[in-house]
Amino acid sequence: MMAANLHFSQIEELMFELSMWRCNDELRVRAEELHRASRKAEKHYIEFWKQVPPTEPYRVILGYVRDKLYYTRERSRHLLTSGSSDIPADSTFTDVEQFLEPLELCYRSLCDCGDKTVADGSLLDFLRQVSTFGLSLVKLDIRQESDRHTDALDAITAHLGIGSYRSWPEEKRQEWLLSELRGRRPLFGGDLPMTEEVADVLGTFRVLAELPPDCFGAYIISMATAPSDVLAVELLQRECHVGHPLRVVPLFEKLADLEAAPAAVARLFSIDWYMDRIGGKQEVMIGYSDSGKDAGRLSAAWQLYKAQEELVKVAKQYGVKLTMFHGRGGTVGRGGGPTHLAILSQPPETVNGSLRVTVQGEVIEHSFGEEHLCFRTLQRFTAATLEHGMHPPVSPKPEWRALMDEMAVVATEEYRAMVFKEPRFVEYFRSATPETEYGRMNIGSRPSKRKPSGGIETLRAIPWIFAWTQTRFHLPVWLGFGAAFKHIMQKDIRNVQALREMYNEWPFFRVTLDLLEMVFAKGDPGIAALYDELLVADELKPLGEQLRSNFEDTKKLLVQVAGHRDVLEDDPYLKQRLRLRDPYITTLNVCQAYTLKRIRDPSFQVTAQPPLSKEFADENQPASLVKLNAASEYAPGLEDTLILTMKGIAAGMQNTG
């Protein structure tokens, strides 16, 4: 409805403009046909409501487009308000091709008659607008976890009596999926016994079959691990009668999945059925968030780099155009950071003039919230993409690669030893950060966990990083770096020189360390210590102290490698901005820490300070500025205060919020 309405206002302007009579034969014939078929007068238009004469052929054609848009809008409105409409579907536009065709006809005709300058004005702008935004304004990607597809196919194979799909090895899964894809027989009818989860997955596919194909972009499989994950979605699309199947994009996230990704994609490309299906184009999504949560920032960044290099080689070998889809978050721990630098630090030949990037909720406002910001952001993306193609970044020297491989192993080991193997860590994390409260509040786009029970591995990457950012400790970003630097320097003192060379000459390494430096500038172990003091049980406090001393050690080593005297030495502008912001964020942190204490310990008493000025001293004046959230499960005002401090700290931290 919105799309039809926006296009509708443009059509009226075009009708004013294109009053000429010269046209080519193709357009004249069409205009005469439409003129004969059109109604006499349409009272619901303000302008051109009388029948347009055939001597103005462009207006006849555009009048027909306007009628269709009017009915598209009205039918959508009726369906939204009452669920049914008297306007038949064939009076409306159902896909964007029908909409573009008459406009392209007008464009061709103007060019044939020597009016190219007119054609290249508002009409071309409108054509571009329609082909960009279509009838749905924005294409929705569909996203589902690979395990959920496995459950659906398991239900189908069990119903058919051929075994349990879930327990089959990868080879057998591929064989069965391909034999079904090459065959024609339907797999299941309405009698398939389904759990709620399976019904949800199949219901999604059925909705895809009902709606126009230009409403949808890609079907993304999160936590993809093997070729069968992709083939499973292809089969489910066919079984649920999706007329125009969506392109299927595997999303490789965990460290092991990233390592195995090139082989999985190569296996897909070696299947003739699959190559016919994709028509020489493939999109692969790589996940920064979960890889960082799984192995720490250093190892994740390096594995993402290597996986992209290998994927590009595989695509070249099979003659497929590969588009990398970067699942970057807004935070540094999830691959965030300045756009320009991030694109320029990608491996050579991986951008190739096309690139896809997710932009997270907390960053959308910041990058696209106003028209001038939006243009600046798009210019940055375009400039960086072009620059990457014209001046490809240097490939790392073999000795740099060897150092990175060695550092990544040490970093992953230290990270996992703390996050997954330290028995007290989960308890410490939950008490030292607002993670538990954040999960209860309805302020995220998804549930905070993939499964209700379980430790860090089931927690989504967003709350994992968000919680550490709130306490200004940023643990997931830096944990592991210190051990890696220390190991390399102790092994051979000359490695310090090698690391400096990498920092100065290799964009990928430089960006990784610069972002880390920025996070250290924004971090503050003193504030993390305040949260510990108030919220953490005595027996867990030594763990917090150990982590804070690790923070300080890592910071010293980082500054040494970068050859700086202090963090952010190269960026005085940002340093000054952070200095100005600091007192505001610190106040919010103190407020948040005490609010959490009151939420968790209702008997905790805060002694009120005397008011600062007379205005606040009058106790009889009711405070009418704020309405407290009555539905909260906490004491009045506490949840509101907590949400405000969360928003404030996130805004102050910016790309780590």
Side-chain angles (χ1 to χ4, degrees):
M1 183 179 86
M2 291 294 297
N5 197 33
L6 289 166
H7 293 316
F8 185 81
S9 58
Q10 308 277 108
I11 276 284
E12 302 237 289
E13 289 172 26
L14 273 176
M15 285 180 82
F16 268 107
E17 216 169 288
L18 300 183
S19 58
M20 54 282 289
W21 53 269
R22 277 191 315 190
C23 63
N24 64 11
D25 296 341
E26 186 187 8
L27 189 122
R28 183 172 294 109
V29 171
R30 176 80 61 89
E32 283 166 3
E33 276 172 20
L34 290 173
H35 186 262
R36 281 197 297 275
S38 72
R39 296 183 198 82
K40 289 292 167 277
E42 296 281 11
K43 286 288 188 194
H44 46 240
Y45 297 132
I46 299 168
E47 307 287 351
F48 301 111
W49 59 272
K50 288 188 172 168
Q51 192 179 20
V52 179
T55 49
E56 296 171 359
Y58 293 99
R59 283 181 172 167
V60 173
I61 302 269
L62 293 172
Y64 156 79
V65 174
R66 180 177 66 163
D67 288 349
K68 279 245 185 187
L69 277 175
Y70 176 81
Y71 290 126
T72 306
R73 181 184 72 189
E74 292 307 298
R75 180 178 156 83
S76 305
R77 196 160 60 82
H78 297 161
L79 290 173
L80 283 168
T81 47
S82 62
S84 64
S85 174
D86 300 338
I87 300 169
D90 56 7
S91 308
T92 66
F93 286 127
T94 50
D95 74 65
V96 76
E97 293 306 318
Q98 301 170 336
F99 188 0
L100 283 169
E101 193 274 333
L103 300 172
E104 285 167 348
L105 172 60
C106 291
Y107 185 84
R108 280 198 303 277
S109 170
L110 285 168
C111 292
D112 290 350
C113 300
D115 288 326
K116 190 166 185 335
T117 38
V118 177
D120 284 344
S122 317
L123 178 60
L124 184 60
D125 285 350
F126 188 56
L127 271 163
R128 285 179 174 149
Q129 184 179 306
V130 173
S131 51
T132 304
F133 297 102
L135 290 163
S136 53
L137 288 186
V138 64
K139 289 184 183 224
L140 285 180
D141 282 358
I142 306 296
R143 180 163 164 168
Q144 185 57 274
E145 204 177 333
S146 56
D147 251 13
R148 301 285 294 275
H149 303 133
T150 306
D151 290 344
L153 287 168
D154 196 58
I156 293 166
T157 55
H159 180 59
L160 293 172
I162 55 172
S164 161
Y165 177 84
R166 180 174 274 292
S167 61
W168 290 350
E170 176 62 21
E171 280 308 309
K172 188 174 178 187
R173 287 185 184 188
Q174 287 181 30
E175 199 180 309
W176 179 73
L177 289 165
L178 281 168
S179 70
E180 290 302 332
L181 283 163
R182 290 188 174 119
R184 283 264 170 262
R185 66 164 187 169
L187 275 179
F188 62 91
D191 58 342
L192 177 73
M194 290 186 277
T195 62
E196 204 178 314
E197 278 85 6
V198 172
D200 179 48
V201 170
L202 296 178
T204 305
F205 283 106
R206 292 196 176 115
V207 171
L208 295 181
E210 285 167 21
L211 291 168
D214 52 343
C215 297
F216 300 107
Y219 192 109
I220 296 162
I221 311 163
S222 55
M223 292 292 174
T225 55
S228 61
D229 291 331
V230 175
L231 298 172
V233 173
E234 295 285 10
L235 183 62
L236 288 169
Q237 288 199 87
R238 196 196 73 188
E239 283 305 311
C240 297
H241 314 292
V242 180
H244 294 266
L246 277 61
R247 62 182 196 277
V248 181
V249 178
L251 161 51
F252 299 105
E253 297 183 82
K254 293 273 182 75
L255 201 65
D257 299 340
L258 282 165
E259 283 169 14
V265 172
R267 170 75 187 109
L268 280 172
F269 290 165
S270 66
I271 299 168
D272 51 353
W273 178 90
Y274 189 75
M275 287 299 269
D276 291 345
R277 158 83 178 89
I278 59 171
K281 284 183 181 168
Q282 175 70 46
E283 197 175 300
V284 173
M285 187 170 180
I286 49 171
Y288 289 71
S289 304
D290 280 281
S291 56
K293 197 186 87 183
D294 178 39
R297 182 82 189 94
L298 179 71
S299 316
W302 178 229
Q303 194 52 56
L304 286 159
Y305 188 94
K306 291 197 293 189
Q308 287 184 75
E309 287 184 317
E310 293 300 317
L311 286 165
V312 166
K313 280 183 198 156
V314 168
K316 262 194 173 159
Q317 190 185 333
Y318 286 94
V320 174
K321 175 159 175 41
L322 183 73
T323 297
M324 297 305 309
F325 183 3
H326 297 266
R328 295 172 64 212
T331 58
V332 171
R334 299 173 52 222
T339 306
H340 197 86
L341 290 177
I343 294 175
L344 291 184
S345 66
Q346 299 306 321
E349 294 191 29
T350 53
V351 174
N352 251 342
S354 72
L355 166 87
R356 205 169 172 224
V357 181
T358 48
V359 180
Q360 259 55 32
E362 76 266 29
V363 192
I364 289 178
E365 181 81 13
H366 189 64
S367 306
F368 299 91
E370 293 170 27
E371 197 173 333
H372 71 280
L373 285 177
C374 182
F375 272 104
R376 195 182 303 162
T377 302
L378 292 170
Q379 280 168 352
R380 274 197 198 123
F381 272 106
T382 312
T385 306
L386 289 170
E387 191 178 331
H388 191 284
M390 294 157 99
H391 293 286
V394 294
S395 272
K397 295 177 183 173
E399 59 267 28
W400 296 353
R401 282 178 185 277
L403 272 181
M404 275 305 292
D405 284 336
E406 203 173 322
M407 284 165 70
V409 171
V410 176
T412 304
E413 217 163 89
E414 185 187 48
Y415 178 87
R416 287 182 174 165
M418 176 54 74
V419 174
F420 297 112
K421 294 178 186 154
E422 165 60 64
R424 300 165 304 162
F425 180 77
V426 175
E427 196 189 336
Y428 172 75
F429 165 60
R430 298 234 158 101
S431 52
T433 68
E435 185 265 326
T436 326
E437 288 76 9
Y438 171 79
R440 282 191 202 163
M441 292 177 195
N442 195 14
I443 57 176
S445 60
R446 310 187 185 117
S448 66
K449 290 184 167 187
R450 286 199 165 89
K451 298 188 181 78
S453 61
I456 302 296
E457 59 283 350
T458 65
L459 185 73
R460 283 187 182 273
I462 299 174
W464 163 238
I465 301 241
F466 186 90
W468 287 112
T469 303
Q470 290 288 305
T471 65
R472 306 271 291 280
F473 199 46
H474 309 296
L475 177 114
V477 185
W478 57 262
L479 187 60
F481 271 93
F485 286 150
K486 205 175 279 178
H487 167 78
I488 288 292
M489 289 175 186
Q490 283 170 353
K491 188 177 169 192
D492 185 346
I493 196 67
R494 285 173 304 192
N495 282 339
V496 177
Q497 209 41 52
L499 289 170
R500 282 201 184 154
E501 189 184 296
M502 286 158 74
Y503 179 76
N504 291 322
E505 293 176 28
W506 184 19
F508 161 78
F509 193 68
R510 173 147 203 148
V511 167
T512 306
L513 293 200
D514 281 353
L515 289 177
L516 185 62
E517 202 173 321
M518 178 188 69
V519 168
F520 274 122
K522 291 180 174 180
D524 188 335
I527 286 171
L530 172 73
Y531 282 79
D532 273 21
E533 180 65 33
L534 285 170
L535 305 166
V536 174
D538 288 343
E539 65 272 16
L540 292 174
K541 281 181 180 161
L543 186 61
E545 283 161 19
Q546 180 194 333
L547 286 169
R548 286 194 293 282
S549 91
N550 190 341
F551 177 99
E552 295 295 359
D553 293 348
T554 306
K555 185 171 167 180
K556 284 193 191 97
L557 288 163
L558 170 72
V559 173
Q560 190 183 341
V561 170
H564 295 162
R565 284 190 305 279
D566 190 18
V567 284
L568 287 190
E569 187 182 293
D570 283 357
D571 195 344
Y573 174 62
L574 176 61
K575 200 171 184 175
Q576 178 63 9
R577 277 185 14 226
L578 293 181
R579 196 174 287 150
L580 291 172
R581 246 183 273 160
D582 194 68
Y584 299 97
I585 307 175
T586 301
T587 310
L588 287 166
N589 276 123
V590 173
C591 187
Q592 185 181 78
Y594 277 98
T595 306
L596 285 169
K597 177 74 174 167
R598 290 174 69 187
I599 283 175
R600 293 177 191 180
D601 178 5
S603 62
F604 179 70
Q605 288 301 315
V606 181
T607 48
Q609 295 291 325
L612 295 173
S613 79
K614 286 204 173 75
E615 289 165 48
F616 300 113
D618 190 354
E619 292 290 317
N620 305 324
Q621 286 290 325
S624 58
L625 284 175
V626 180
K627 278 199 177 133
L628 296 177
N629 174 4
S632 169
E633 55 183 287
Y634 307 126
L638 290 182
E639 185 170 338
D640 304 283
T641 309
L642 192 58
I643 288 180
L644 283 171
T645 60
M646 281 182 176
K647 286 186 169 178
I649 295 166
M653 293 281 108
Q654 296 210 345
N655 53 358
T656 42

